[in-house]
Amino acid sequence: MSVEGTASAASAGPRERGTPPPGAAQGASRLRRLAERRRVRDLGLRVAGVLTVLSALELCSRVGLLSQDWFPPVTETYAELGRLAAGHPLWTEIGRTLNGWLVGIVIATLLAVPIGVLLGSNNTAYRFSRVVIEFCRPIPSVALIPLAVLVYGVGLEMKVFLIVFVTFWPILLQVIYGVRDVDPLVQDTARSYGLPPSARFLRVTLPSAAPYIATGLRIASSIALVLAVTAELVVGAPGLGQSIVVAQSNALLPRMYALIIVTGLVGWALNSVFQAIERRLLRWHPSQRREVAQ
């Protein structure tokens, strides 16, 4: 190499630390465009799938494959859904159902999280309570409806009692699994640095168990909504379930199906909210990074 070339290379010097390599900005922009196209394509496929199913149901009802006495055309159901959405009573019933759902979820969380942390942190306490947990957890919550009605009547307290009972167990088990799944090496490292138990809990145990807790809350949310509507259907407590029963009793089938669709939309919205919160709060977790990358 000539002296001039060597001097020129030396004068150019190494690239400053932190400076992106050539083409990095274009590569990142291309990845963003690809991710956006993938999201648009996925959204298009989902919408197309829903429209295909609705069109098939409409066609089957119109040509007589499904009796209109029991399965009204989809267009009539969604027309009734639009009329309900424009009225006040629908939103009142949704609020009544969600009121019991929210109170039950909050109480179950406040009970299950500290108990789960205690049982997950102490092997003796976990073994002592394991039989009780495995006995109570499979009890069908619907079987407790007569007891709940006898004690609390058919109001909000009855729904809250059933929701707390049924959602307590998935949250409790997820907290226990999360606390027990903490890497012992990380615990020993924190202990060797002299961190007190409270600091180890906040810096090691809680972050490690957070994904488990989020999963338990998301599962409990869906179960709580199912149970709230079930209690309203069986007992006649105010809410969406009671409205469905009233529509069925009066042979208002488009309204009945419209209310069932509303129930499904509420469940989908709640699950989406929990997923968005989980992604937001746990964006540092590898599982969320993999989900974003996909």
Side-chain angles (χ1 to χ4, degrees):
M1 179 185 293
S2 65
V3 176
E4 292 79 1
T6 305
S8 175
S11 63
R15 190 171 61 248
E16 295 182 2
R17 181 175 297 177
T19 303
Q26 293 84 348
S29 177
R30 181 173 178 273
L31 289 177
R32 284 194 296 270
R33 289 197 300 269
L34 289 175
E36 184 65 27
R37 291 174 185 172
R38 187 181 299 113
R39 284 193 292 267
V40 172
R41 185 179 67 249
D42 291 344
L43 178 61
L45 290 174
R46 293 172 185 175
V47 172
V50 172
L51 292 178
T52 299
V53 173
L54 294 179
S55 300
L57 291 175
E58 176 76 13
L59 179 62
C60 290
S61 181
R62 293 295 184 183
V63 302
L65 292 178
L66 295 175
S67 173
Q68 293 192 19
D69 294 336
W70 307 110
F71 300 97
V74 174
T75 50
E76 294 182 8
T77 299
Y78 276 89
E80 181 65 23
L81 178 60
R83 288 190 290 269
L84 289 174
H88 179 69
L90 173 64
W91 302 104
T92 301
E93 299 306 320
I94 293 176
R96 289 172 175 172
T97 298
L98 291 181
N99 188 24
W101 169 87
L102 179 60
V103 175
I105 284 288
V106 171
I107 294 176
T109 302
L110 294 177
L111 291 174
V113 171
I115 295 175
V117 171
L118 174 63
L119 298 182
S121 304
N122 191 300
N123 287 327
T124 302
Y126 174 71
R127 291 196 297 267
F128 177 80
S129 60
R130 184 171 179 180
V131 175
V132 177
I133 294 174
E134 293 301 327
F135 173 79
C136 294
R137 183 173 61 89
I139 295 177
S141 55
V142 179
L144 297 177
I145 289 180
L147 173 64
V149 172
L150 180 65
V151 176
Y152 298 106
V154 295
L156 176 64
E157 294 82 1
M158 181 269 299
K159 286 194 292 185
V160 170
F161 168 77
L162 294 173
I163 291 172
V164 170
F165 178 83
V166 75
T167 57
F168 174 82
W169 306 111
I171 300 175
L172 175 70
L173 291 176
Q174 287 296 319
V175 174
I176 292 175
Y177 295 154
V179 172
R180 293 175 64 86
D181 196 47
V182 178
D183 191 347
L185 180 60
V186 177
Q187 289 277 35
D188 294 339
T189 303
R191 193 178 296 108
S192 66
Y193 275 97
L195 291 179
S198 59
R200 292 201 301 271
F201 173 76
L202 293 176
R203 296 174 180 269
V204 178
T205 304
L206 189 58
S208 177
Y212 291 85
I213 299 174
T215 301
L217 288 173
R218 184 153 43 85
I219 295 172
S221 169
S222 301
I223 297 174
L225 181 63
V226 171
L227 187 60
V229 176
T230 301
E232 294 164 359
L233 284 167
V234 175
V235 181
L240 285 172
Q242 185 188 59
S243 300
I244 293 173
V245 172
V246 171
Q248 185 267 338
S249 301
N250 291 279
L252 301 175
L253 294 186
R255 175 169 296 187
M256 182 188 73
Y257 282 107
L259 291 169
I260 293 173
I261 292 173
V262 169
T263 305
L265 291 175
V266 170
W268 173 79
L270 291 175
N271 187 68
S272 299
V273 168
F274 271 89
Q275 285 183 334
I277 295 175
E278 184 177 348
R279 285 194 298 266
R280 178 72 175 177
L281 297 180
L282 301 178
R283 58 184 180 274
W284 51 268
H285 196 265
S287 63
Q288 298 300 323
R289 292 200 295 268
R290 287 195 298 268
E291 184 177 343
V292 173
Q294 292 175 355

